[in-house]
Amino acid sequence: MAEKGDFKHEHMADEANDNDTVDFSNNISARIKNPLAGIRQDVLLRDVEEFAAMYDLSDITPLLKKGALVAQNPADFENVEGLDDTERDVLRDEVVHKWRQPRALYTTVILCSVGAAVQGWDQTGSNGANLSFPVAFGIGDTDPTSPNYTRDLWLVGLINAAPYIASAFIGCWLSDPLNNYFGRRGTIFFSAIFCLLSVIGSACTQNWWELFICRLLLGIGMGSKASTVPIYAAENVPALIRGGLVMSWQMWTAFGIFLGTCANLAVYNTGAISWRLQLGSAFIPAVPLVIGIYFCPESPRWLMKKGRYSQAYKSLLRLRNHPIQAARDLYYVHAQLLIEHKIIGQTNYAQRILELFTIPRVRRATLASFTVMIAQQMCGINIIAFYSSSVFQQAGATVLHSLLASFGFGLVNFVFAFPAVWTIDTFGRRALLLFTFPNMAWTLLAAGLCFLIPKDSSAHLACVALFIYMFAAFYSPGEGPVPFTYSAEVFPLSHREVGMAWAVATCLFWASVLSITWPRMVAAMTPTGAFGFYCALNLIAFTMIFFWVPETKQRTLEELDYVFAVPTGKHMKYHMTKSAPFFFKRYIAMNKNATLEPLYRFDNVQSDAVRSASVTAYNQEHRKSETTKKLNL
């Protein structure tokens, strides 16, 4: 059996490239190309036979041939010779009824995303614990005139930031070697163990530095988990619903935040041990992850990367509704891997890190993922997730009312994440970001200005809470789910682990900076000044996204190779000279006749199959309707 990187029938890639003018690293024409397009049918079928013999798949050669023909021209699958009616119905239904997927697919994605609840729960656990653990450890001096005041502020921030520091510098960067040797499932199990034991340890600590160490260990698990689970989900899910399912990572993060606020309230009256219960209870979501990951299939793309095609096919059989879909996806992904391997080749870990910034196609993905990840911290969500109890207390709330107000934030954050399941694949990642950032900016500014209302007024706390809730409502369906979903899909398979590590490390490093600096910032700038500062960062993030973040919705992971081959300058020029003027004409001047020239040109890609299947399904339903009318007459 072929081992990792053992791609032998290179002539297939050569045949495709002979008919293809697309430059994989400098796609000036912005053409999205099917890697199988342009190959003569006799050559394609011969390649399939060689492929099947090489990877011990000879028993399914006829099925692979049909799958390759379907993959070569997705829009014309209705006319592929040899397909039976059942296979045509399945291929049609995957578009018309795109959410009709196997139970194993949903179970795998949802179970693994449950691990994100650990991160969300810990955020709000430490949020509530901030009201009591500093006092318990003697670092809670709140008197500005005390010589220990500034030191204690920095220590509290450092302890809260510990998981994010460890994630950014250790956990995330462990994900590439862990994935290389143990696969996606093994890496997730490794991270779940750290997330399970470290939070229990946090509840048993006796001084601040023991708590700091336990939270560093939590960060190792969080970083490797956050760098792997979204990739694992993205590699398993069909392109049409990839965003909606991969964003379940953020859904469970939001659910974890909500559960953490519930736990904070539940243990409110437990006295001196309340902070221990608030921190320790975050172990609960890790339990089903530790047990359940054993029953999930390994990522087919990871198995193919290792040359284990027979196992990849078995995984695809569990993750798709019919063998024809599994055969099609297996061969289509293989075809793109040949091109990736020819252009990028095999490199070691250190080289892959360097290539994030040197290979043009990879560098553009690095820039885009950096932008969406740092924007998640620039928007200011984590000043609320980490410190909402303290923020509400500064707004004049009691300890109980602070926890109740934080519960409201957690509830809003969770409920408003649900629309993204539909919107992320309908409107797209880029559109959601461009819509939410301006709205997050003004709501954050309004919340800061509400601190100027006299504290003895009943409107003071109510207005602060209202605008913070509105801020969360805009964040949850936009900048909430997009960064991890987006970063998991934009890198080629050769650099997917290290690329995701870079993206998550970016996000969590700046989360640690935010966590460390917020207590001191709010003391120096007042809540109004600090909230205004993050309002300005929202506007800067909006500009970065507008210029540097391409759309990825409903594109297969392999088609995105061509999207990120388009030069950054061409992308920026298009949105400055065409996209922005169109938006003004259509939505400001209300010119309904305004049109926008598309940036990308598509050639025999999956979206063609979407249109074809939709038209066929519509025509069938129309014929049935007409027949029914005639019978009724």
Side-chain angles (χ1 to χ4, degrees):
M1 181 175 291
E3 294 300 324
K4 179 181 178 183
D6 189 9
F7 298 110
K8 292 184 178 177
H9 49 303
E10 296 285 351
H11 68 273
M12 190 190 81
D14 292 336
E15 177 85 16
N17 287 335
D18 288 342
N19 296 282
D20 189 358
T21 60
V22 176
D23 184 340
F24 188 60
S25 291
N26 192 27
N27 187 7
I28 297 175
S29 65
R31 185 180 176 195
I32 312 303
K33 186 78 165 60
N34 184 332
L36 298 176
I39 301 176
R40 296 198 319 271
Q41 184 170 321
D42 61 319
V43 175
L44 177 63
L45 295 179
R46 186 182 71 237
D47 286 335
V48 173
E49 291 177 355
E50 293 180 9
F51 166 78
M54 184 183 303
Y55 293 106
D56 298 331
L57 296 167
S58 297
D59 56 323
I60 61 166
T61 299
L63 185 65
L64 285 170
K65 287 182 177 180
K66 290 192 289 186
L69 291 172
V70 171
Q72 185 181 41
N73 192 357
D76 198 37
F77 70 85
E78 298 278 359
N79 297 317
V80 170
E81 293 183 9
L83 288 183
D84 57 38
D85 291 339
T86 300
E87 290 169 336
R88 288 190 177 88
D89 288 341
V90 167
L91 293 172
R92 197 178 302 120
D93 282 351
E94 74 176 347
V95 175
V96 179
H97 304 289
K98 62 182 181 180
W99 291 99
R100 191 179 293 169
Q101 301 293 335
R103 181 180 299 177
L105 177 66
Y106 286 116
T107 302
T108 297
V109 173
I110 293 172
L111 175 68
C112 292
S113 297
V114 166
V118 175
Q119 181 173 329
W121 198 320
D122 176 75
Q123 286 179 4
T124 45
S126 61
N127 186 335
N130 282 332
L131 300 177
S132 50
F133 89 78
V135 176
F137 289 153
I139 56 172
D141 197 332
T142 58
D143 182 4
T145 62
S146 170
N148 293 328
Y149 176 68
T150 300
R151 183 209 68 174
D152 288 359
L153 285 178
W154 287 112
L155 276 179
V156 171
L158 182 65
I159 292 169
N160 283 322
Y164 306 97
I165 295 172
S167 293
F169 290 102
I170 303 174
C172 293
W173 300 105
L174 284 176
S175 65
D176 186 285
L178 285 172
N179 273 278
N180 184 45
Y181 291 108
F182 303 112
R184 310 288 189 240
R185 295 164 66 237
T187 303
I188 293 170
F189 177 79
F190 167 88
S191 63
I193 292 295
F194 271 81
C195 292
L196 175 66
L197 299 180
S198 60
V199 292
I200 296 175
S202 296
C204 301
T205 54
Q206 301 301 311
N207 49 60
W208 72 263
W209 58 267
E210 288 181 1
L211 178 58
F212 177 69
I213 291 172
C214 285
R215 290 179 65 74
L216 286 175
L217 294 174
L218 171 62
I220 294 175
M222 279 174 46
S224 57
K225 172 169 56 66
S227 300
T228 302
V229 170
I231 287 177
Y232 180 56
E235 290 181 342
N236 288 339
V237 177
L240 291 180
I241 58 170
R242 186 175 63 240
L245 283 185
V246 178
M247 70 130 305
S248 63
W249 169 267
Q250 176 60 27
M251 181 77 74
W252 282 98
T253 300
F255 188 54
I257 291 174
F258 172 64
L259 290 178
T261 60
C262 294
N264 288 346
L265 284 170
V267 301
Y268 166 67
N269 283 322
T270 55
I273 65 168
S274 63
W275 66 269
R276 297 184 183 275
L277 297 175
Q278 288 165 341
L279 291 176
S281 59
F283 86 93
I284 296 173
V287 175
L289 184 60
V290 169
I291 298 170
I293 190 62
Y294 175 80
F295 301 98
C296 297
E298 183 55 271
S299 161
R301 284 177 169 89
W302 182 84
L303 290 167
M304 293 171 71
K305 181 179 179 181
K306 292 292 185 179
R308 292 152 61 176
Y309 278 75
S310 295
Q311 292 174 265
Y313 178 66
K314 291 177 182 177
S315 282
L316 281 168
L317 288 177
R318 294 182 62 186
L319 297 168
R320 299 294 183 265
N321 285 313
H322 194 277
I324 189 64
Q325 295 169 305
R328 176 201 61 193
D329 291 353
L330 185 76
Y331 196 74
Y332 178 82
V333 173
H334 170 72
Q336 187 63 39
L337 290 182
L338 289 176
I339 298 175
E340 279 189 18
H341 177 71
K342 183 174 182 179
I343 295 173
I344 297 177
Q346 279 185 258
T347 53
N348 59 40
Y349 185 26
Q351 288 175 312
R352 287 196 296 276
I353 294 176
L354 180 63
E355 287 170 352
L356 291 177
F357 309 97
T358 57
I359 296 178
R361 179 263 181 266
V362 183
R363 184 176 66 241
R364 295 177 193 116
T366 301
L367 175 62
S369 63
F370 167 83
T371 300
V372 296
M373 283 298 197
I374 197 172
Q376 191 170 71
Q377 305 309 319
M378 293 172 72
C379 78
I381 184 64
N382 283 332
I383 63 178
I384 312 298
F386 295 166
Y387 292 107
S388 64
S389 297
S390 302
V391 168
F392 289 125
Q393 194 173 54
Q394 287 174 316
T398 63
V399 172
L400 176 60
H401 288 163
S402 295
L403 294 175
L404 285 170
S406 294
F407 167 81
F409 162 76
L411 181 61
V412 171
N413 186 46
F414 175 54
V415 170
F416 280 85
F418 279 94
V421 174
W422 175 72
T423 58
I424 196 169
D425 284 316
T426 303
F427 297 111
R429 288 68 156 152
R430 175 183 167 84
L432 286 179
L433 295 178
L434 294 178
F435 170 75
T436 56
F437 268 91
N439 287 294
M440 287 191 292
W442 75 260
T443 50
L444 207 57
L445 178 62
L449 293 175
C450 287
F451 278 90
L452 300 178
I453 300 173
K455 281 192 176 182
D456 56 1
S457 170
S458 59
H460 180 91
L461 178 60
C463 289
V464 170
L466 171 65
F467 286 110
I468 285 177
Y469 293 168
M470 291 179 66
F471 169 80
F474 283 118
Y475 167 85
S476 294
E479 179 59 11
V482 168
F484 282 86
T485 301
Y486 190 88
S487 300
E489 60 193 11
V490 297
F491 291 96
L493 182 60
S494 57
H495 290 69
R496 193 161 291 153
E497 298 93 339
V498 72
M500 189 63 176
W502 152 263
V504 176
T506 297
C507 180
L508 298 185
F509 170 75
W510 289 103
S512 70
V513 171
L514 182 151
S515 183
I516 292 172
T517 58
W518 176 255
R520 185 67 186 125
M521 177 185 289
V522 76
M525 299 174 62
T526 74
T528 300
F531 274 68
F533 173 79
Y534 277 97
C535 166
L537 291 185
N538 270 276
L539 299 179
I540 295 173
F542 173 87
T543 305
M544 293 165 61
I545 290 164
F546 180 81
F547 284 116
W548 296 337
V549 176
E551 183 56 78
T552 61
K553 72 167 183 174
Q554 299 185 0
R555 304 266 68 84
T556 68
L557 296 181
E558 288 67 41
E559 288 167 9
L560 292 180
D561 283 332
Y562 297 96
V563 171
F564 284 93
V566 176
T568 303
K570 182 178 179 67
H571 182 268
M572 294 174 65
K573 181 179 179 181
Y574 170 82
H575 287 293
M576 177 60 72
T577 61
K578 296 182 180 179
S579 179
F582 165 77
F583 180 86
F584 179 83
K585 293 176 184 177
R586 178 65 184 86
Y587 299 105
I588 305 299
M590 301 303 291
N591 179 3
K592 294 183 179 181
N593 296 320
T595 58
L596 176 62
E597 176 187 333
L599 172 59
Y600 305 112
R601 296 188 297 114
F602 301 104
D603 185 5
N604 286 332
V605 295
Q606 185 63 29
S607 58
D608 295 330
V610 173
R611 289 189 292 271
S612 177
S614 298
V615 170
T616 301
Y618 172 81
N619 290 336
Q620 288 180 342
E621 291 298 321
H622 182 69
R623 285 195 295 269
K624 288 180 182 179
S625 176
E626 290 298 317
T627 302
T628 302
K629 288 179 181 178
K630 290 178 181 179
L631 290 174
N632 290 337
L633 290 174

